[in-house]
Amino acid sequence: MFRMIFIDESQRDLLRIVWKDSIDDSIKTYRMNRVVYGTTCAPFLAQRVLKQLVMDDGHKYPLAASAVSADIFMDDLISGCLSISSAKQLKQELISLFSGTGMQLHKWSSNCIELLSNFDVSDGDVSLTIPDETKALGL
């Protein structure tokens, strides 16, 4: 998730990396364009981006906005619906909400094969499973 979030141009100087390939090389300085995993601010930035996404576009996708606001745990969203038709609508709204920012959701799991159909998996970035158990944050 972190690598999908771009840093504003004005803030990139705050995420600099100083590098030397060897002791005799000159120092190279890199500025990160995206949120870096492992930095103290990364979890906050990721959660703040999700909050802003709901504030900006949630009115267009009310089911997705509700799920993102209440059912997300860092970068795992675990939710459910009372019917297959509402689950299909939630799936489509989530895809639309996140694709508007250039984020692609992946690692979809469901106990319903119908919900896992009609995905574009040509790039290999989407994993579809009907698991015996579902994990969030490794639990």
Side-chain angles (χ1 to χ4, degrees), residues 2-91:
F2 300 135
R3 304 293 298 148
M4 293 185 197
I5 302 170
F6 281 95
I7 299 295
D8 187 85
E9 180 76 33
S10 67
Q11 301 299 305
R12 292 180 184 169
D13 283 334
L14 301 172
L15 288 171
R16 286 183 182 244
I17 296 175
V18 179
W19 187 263
K20 284 178 76 169
D21 288 322
S22 72
I23 222 163
D24 297 327
D25 285 344
S26 60
I27 295 175
K28 297 175 186 172
T29 304
Y30 298 96
R31 293 182 342 152
M32 301 305 294
N33 294 331
R34 298 176 188 229
V35 173
V36 179
Y37 178 80
T39 57
T40 304
C41 62
F44 166 78
L45 292 173
Q47 293 304 301
R48 184 61 180 91
V49 164
L50 295 177
K51 184 175 183 173
Q52 191 66 46
L53 180 59
V54 168
M55 289 173 18
D56 291 349
D57 294 331
H59 64 282
K60 294 187 263 184
Y61 310 105
L63 287 177
S66 177
V68 170
S69 296
D71 300 336
I72 205 154
F73 305 94
M74 191 38 83
D75 61 350
D76 291 329
L77 187 134
I78 300 177
S79 193
C81 294
L82 295 175
S83 69
I84 293 175
S85 63
S86 62
K88 285 180 180 180
Q89 183 179 355
L90 174 59
K91 171 186 148 183

